[in-house]
Every structure is written in C-alpha cells, then in structure tokens.
Amino acid sequence: MRHLRFVFYFFGALAVIVLVLRLFMPFQEIWDRWKKIAHRLGVWQTNLILTLLYFLPASQ
C-alpha cells in the first residue's frame, strides 16, 4: 500500500510539472529545438555507421 501511494504522488507531481510547463512554455519551441538536435544526431549516427560498414569488412 505504501508503494502505491508513492506511485500516485510521483505521477501526480509529474502531471503538475507537465501542466505548468504547458502553460508557461509552449511546446512548439521545445519541438523545434528537439527537431534540430535529432537531425544533428541522425547525421552523426549515419556517418558513423556508414564509416564502420565501409572500413570493417575491408580489414578482415
């Protein structure tokens, strides 16, 4: 029963934080920043994987 109360408090606090962020900080700004970060990560990851695929079979 004690753990259940902790779960309710945790998710209740999380819901309050999300609601406060939603009221004072529009999600469009967050979404635009996330798209830029995700694009950079995707480019970096693609370059890394393609480089590994190019050089690893040649070294065997």
Side-chain angles (χ1 to χ4, degrees):
M1 199 53 127
R2 192 173 193 181
H3 298 320
L4 188 60
R5 191 177 337 158
F6 173 75
V7 171
F8 284 138
Y9 286 148
F10 176 76
F11 285 113
L14 190 63
V16 169
I17 290 171
V18 168
L19 287 174
V20 167
L21 285 176
R22 181 68 177 118
L23 289 174
F24 295 111
M25 191 165 139
F27 279 127
Q28 188 63 37
E29 296 174 14
I30 298 170
W31 182 249
D32 290 339
R33 287 186 213 152
W34 168 247
K35 285 193 300 186
K36 290 178 184 177
I37 293 169
H39 177 71
R40 289 181 186 145
L41 285 173
V43 168
W44 178 81
Q45 184 178 7
T46 301
N47 287 334
L48 177 69
I49 291 172
L50 288 176
T51 302
L52 289 175
L53 287 174
Y54 181 77
F55 285 110
L56 284 180
S59 65
Q60 291 180 356

